[in-house]
Structures are given as C-alpha cells and as structure tokens.
Amino acid sequence: MTRPSDASVEMIRRLIGFDTTSRNSNLELIHWIRDYLKDLGADSELVYNDERTKANLYATLGPTDRPGIALSGHTDVVPIDGQDWTVDPWRVSEADGKLFGRGTCDMKSFVAICLAYAPRFAAAELSEPVHLAFSYDEEIGCVGVRPLLAHLAGKPIRPRMAIIGEPTDMKVVNAHKGKLSHTCRVRGFECHSSLAPTGVNAIEYATRLIGKLIEMAEDKAKNGPFDADYDVPHTTIHTGLIQGGTALNIVPRDCAFDFEFRNLPVDDPDALMRQVTDYAEQVLVPKMQAIRPNTGIEFEFYSAFAGLDTPADHEVVQLAKALTGGNSTAKVAFGTEAGLISQAGIPSVVCGPGSIDQAHKPDEFVALEQLALCERFMERLIERLAA
C-alpha cells in the first residue's frame, strides 16, 4: 500500500494535538504555524477576529512580486460532544491503513501536508509563489475567511487562483451548492386554551410558514432547475429545529424555527427568501394583527456561504486536474470556503485528501493512500512551478 512520508504524518500528528474546536481559540495552532514558517524565511500575516481570540494566517513561499497560487484550508474542527469515540480524538492513532483523530479528514491533513512541503516550496526556485491561507471558524458558517478576503482585497498583489483542500478523495470539484439559513421568530398572544380564538397561536402560524417552505421545496423537486451532476440535483429547503409553547392549556405566545436553503449556483437564495418574507408579511401577519395588534413575525439571519460554479475549462480546473493526474471533475452538495473565495475574484476549486463521508463522525479518519496522493499532488505542483 502506498504510504505518505514520515514528515507529513508527523505534521498531521502535531496539528491534531491542538484542540481547535470552533468554540475554542485557534491562536496556539496559528502561532505555531507562523513560527514554523518564519524559520523557513516566510513572514505570515495574521488577520484576527474583533476579539483577537482567533486569527487567519496568510503566508507566501517564493517570489512576492507576482500573484501565484493559494493553497487554502480551515483550522477549526467540529465538536466531539456526545460522540462515541473508541480512540483519543486529539491524538493520532494508526490502524488498518488509516489515521484516526478529530480533523484528520476535515481538514487538518491537507493543511499538514501543505506545511510538510513548505520547506521544499521555500527551497525551490519557483516561477510564481505558493500562498498558504488558513482560516478560522469555517465550520460555523465560513466566518474567518471573510475578513481574510477583505484583507487580501487591499493588497496590491493577491493569488490568481486557489485550491481549497476539503476532503474530495483527491478528485477535482469545480462546483458546489450555496447555503442561506435564518431563524424565524413568531410572536403571538397567549390566553387560556378554552378561549383559543381570542389569542394568536404562535405555533400554528409558524407551521403555516413551514408549510410554505414545504410547498417551495416540493416545487424545486418537481420543477427545478436541475443539475444531474449533483447527488441531489435541485435546490433543497429544510426546516431543522422548532421550539415553542409552554403548556397544552395555554395558547402559545412564542415559537421559533430554523430553516435553510441549499441552492444550486444558478438559483438565487435571496429571491427564495423574499418569497418567504412576502408570504409572512402579506398573508400571515395581517391575519395575526387583525386579532391582536402586537403580534408579528421576524427573521434573523443565521449563516450563509456562496455556491461555487467554476467553468470546467478554467485554468484552475485544468491545473488541478493535471496535479491529480485525473481527467474528470465533480460537483458536491456540501459547502466550502471556495464559493466565497471565488466570489472575491480568485477562481477556485476544491481538492483534498479523504472522504466527506468520514467528516464530523466519531473515529474520524483519513486513509494513508489518500495522503500519499496528496503528496504526489504537491510534488507535481513543485515540478510545475520550478523555474
């Protein structure tokens, strides 16, 4: 079986040892990477959050007077809470040709291999630079990459393309769905349930709005638009959480629910959201306020990320295919930072070791063979950029 280098495995072990669950700071990890790259002669720029408890890192290996190629990934991981792990999630263990640990798949292995190859990037006479862009809080809505992109927008030179190393089995992904999610809060008027018609039942009005979302979802499933390259070939609309009421004999005053759109890149999630708000404001709220004036429906933005739709003939797609040795591309339903990066004017693809099927699960793992393929990807990149 093909096995990666000891240097890459050791780097993975080191990165997994940092508990960078999104609720925690990632600064210990980021500062370690900064110091590691500084020893190679690369100065890192840190872009902090407002509280300065987390930071993105941006570093350049090679010439600094030309755009170059960005290798990008996030440093945070999802929680292990409530999961039944049989191994220590913060210490890499190896068995059956796999490395186990939180983040081995999603996505510290890619970050680690970038760092393991950094000495070779630094030593090579590259015709154009390799940029390393590592973000925070991707897992809770692609939070960190936004200030990083704002920082890059103010630079005179920035990458001309990017490869985001989320787990794709080292296949080139040139498109993925976008996401827009909101919390809806319905405020009714409570009273004794024997007098229900004099109150405004927040749960019932919430379910009417959820019914509208279901109708919209059914319309998308029936009428599209469709893209057969996706596992689910149409935009999906989903309600995932609802809370409301206090007791059966009280007409509920409050109800809240969370819902999301997972849209094809050709579908406009803002237009879908307007259908929801128009229905609430024009149909439901007038009925509620005809009974009690101090009632209503409010929407609170929850999270969003842009879809990705890089043309199959774009240079970044062709480069990534050459680096993997493959001839095909794929589209995926899960989202990444690639959509936002591409939207910021840096054409992007997604390509990294491991399978998304292993992400976020207990006993998360990455196959050693996948890591070896990623190393070959880096070797081809060096060969291509060597002067």
Side-chain angles (χ1 to χ4, degrees), residues 184-188 200-216 239 241-245 252-259 276 279-280 283-284 288 296-297 299:
C184 176
R185 303 188 190 280
V186 180
R187 184 170 181 84
V200 177
N201 190 314
I203 290 178
E204 290 183 359
Y205 278 94
T207 58
R208 294 186 193 187
L209 195 50
I210 292 171
K212 174 65 174 178
L213 292 168
I214 292 171
E215 290 178 6
M216 293 170 62
T239 302
L241 181 68
I242 186 168
Q243 297 173 319
R253 182 186 65 182
D254 297 299
C255 185
F257 62 93
D258 296 343
F259 64 99
V276 179
Y279 179 73
V283 178
L284 297 183
M288 297 169 67
I297 299 174
F299 297 92

Side-chain angles (χ1 to χ4, degrees), residues 45 58 60 64 131 148-159:
E45 300 174 67
Y58 182 76
T60 299
T64 59
H131 307 282
L148 176 59
L149 290 171
H151 174 76
L152 292 181
K155 295 177 68 67
I157 299 175
R158 60 180 189 159

Side-chain angles (χ1 to χ4, degrees), residues 334-375:
F334 66 87
T336 76
E337 295 172 333
L340 289 167
I341 295 171
S342 185
Q343 194 176 66
I346 304 173
S348 303
V349 295
V350 186
C351 184
S355 168
I356 196 65
D357 291 341
Q358 307 307 324
H360 299 190
K361 293 181 178 179
D363 291 350
E364 177 182 347
F365 70 82
V366 65
L368 293 174
E369 185 176 12
Q370 284 286 304
L371 302 177
L373 289 173
C374 188
E375 286 191 331

Side-chain angles (χ1 to χ4, degrees), residues 68-111:
I69 299 165
L71 302 177
S72 179
H74 62 84
T75 60
D76 62 315
V77 297
V78 296
I80 62 169
D81 304 24
Q83 295 187 336
D84 186 16
W85 284 73
T86 63
V87 297
D88 184 345
W90 309 115
R91 182 178 180 182
V92 170
S93 54
E94 180 178 338
D96 302 323
K98 304 167 184 174
L99 296 184
F100 293 83
R102 174 56 87 219
T104 49
C105 172
D106 186 13
M107 58 172 295
K108 286 183 176 177
S109 286
F110 178 79
V111 174

Side-chain angles (χ1 to χ4, degrees), residues 69-358:
I69 299 165
L71 302 177
S72 179
H74 62 84
T75 60
D76 62 315
V77 297
V78 296
I80 62 169
D81 304 24
Q83 295 187 336
D84 186 16
W85 284 73
T86 63
V87 297
D88 184 345
W90 309 115
R91 182 178 180 182
V92 170
S93 54
E94 180 178 338
D96 302 323
K98 304 167 184 174
L99 296 184
F100 293 83
R102 174 56 87 219
T104 49
C105 172
D106 186 13
M107 58 172 295
K108 286 183 176 177
S109 286
F110 178 79
V111 174
I113 292 177
C114 290
L115 294 173
Y117 272 77
R120 293 182 57 181
F121 287 127
E125 295 184 10
L126 301 180
S127 58
E128 59 180 318
V130 170
H131 307 282
L132 302 180
F134 302 143
S135 67
Y136 65 85
D137 284 0
E138 184 272 350
E139 295 289 5
I140 57 174
C142 298
V143 173
V145 72
R146 300 170 198 267
L148 176 59
L149 290 171
H151 174 76
L152 292 181
K155 295 177 68 67
I157 299 175
R158 60 180 189 159
R160 64 186 182 91
M161 64 178 69
I163 298 167
I164 292 80
E166 291 276 10
T168 65
D169 291 309
M170 290 307 299
K171 296 175 182 176
V172 179
V173 168
N174 67 313
H176 66 64
K177 291 184 176 181
K179 176 185 175 181
L180 174 63
S181 60
H182 280 78
T183 296
C184 176
R185 303 188 190 280
V186 180
R187 184 170 181 84
F189 185 86
E190 64 186 354
C191 65
H192 194 283
S193 61
S194 64
L195 302 173
T198 66
V200 177
N201 190 314
I203 290 178
E204 290 183 359
Y205 278 94
T207 58
R208 294 186 193 187
L209 195 50
I210 292 171
K212 174 65 174 178
L213 292 168
I214 292 171
E215 290 178 6
M216 293 170 62
E218 291 173 343
D219 177 70
K220 288 297 177 184
K222 180 179 179 180
N223 299 313
F226 300 104
D227 188 333
D229 290 336
Y230 287 92
D231 289 344
V232 180
H234 54 80
T235 294
T236 59
I237 304 170
H238 159 74
T239 302
L241 181 68
I242 186 168
Q243 297 173 319
T246 54
L248 180 58
N249 62 353
I250 301 175
V251 171
R253 182 186 65 182
D254 297 299
C255 185
F257 62 93
D258 296 343
F259 64 99
E260 68 173 22
F261 306 100
R262 296 268 181 170
N263 61 288
L264 294 177
V266 297
D267 237 343
D268 181 1
D270 293 326
L272 295 174
M273 186 63 196
R274 282 194 296 273
Q275 291 185 48
V276 179
T277 56
D278 287 349
Y279 179 73
E281 294 168 1
Q282 298 172 17
V283 178
L284 297 183
V285 171
K287 292 181 179 179
M288 297 169 67
Q289 294 186 346
I291 302 170
R292 296 287 178 175
N294 295 324
T295 57
I297 299 174
E298 296 180 349
F299 297 92
E300 179 182 337
F301 172 78
Y302 189 84
S303 68
F305 54 75
L308 175 70
D309 194 17
T310 304
D313 60 354
H314 193 282
E315 181 185 6
V316 68
V317 179
Q318 299 305 312
L319 171 64
K321 287 165 63 175
L323 298 180
T324 62
N327 294 316
S328 62
T329 58
K331 300 179 181 181
V332 296
F334 66 87
T336 76
E337 295 172 333
L340 289 167
I341 295 171
S342 185
Q343 194 176 66
I346 304 173
S348 303
V349 295
V350 186
C351 184
S355 168
I356 196 65
D357 291 341
Q358 307 307 324

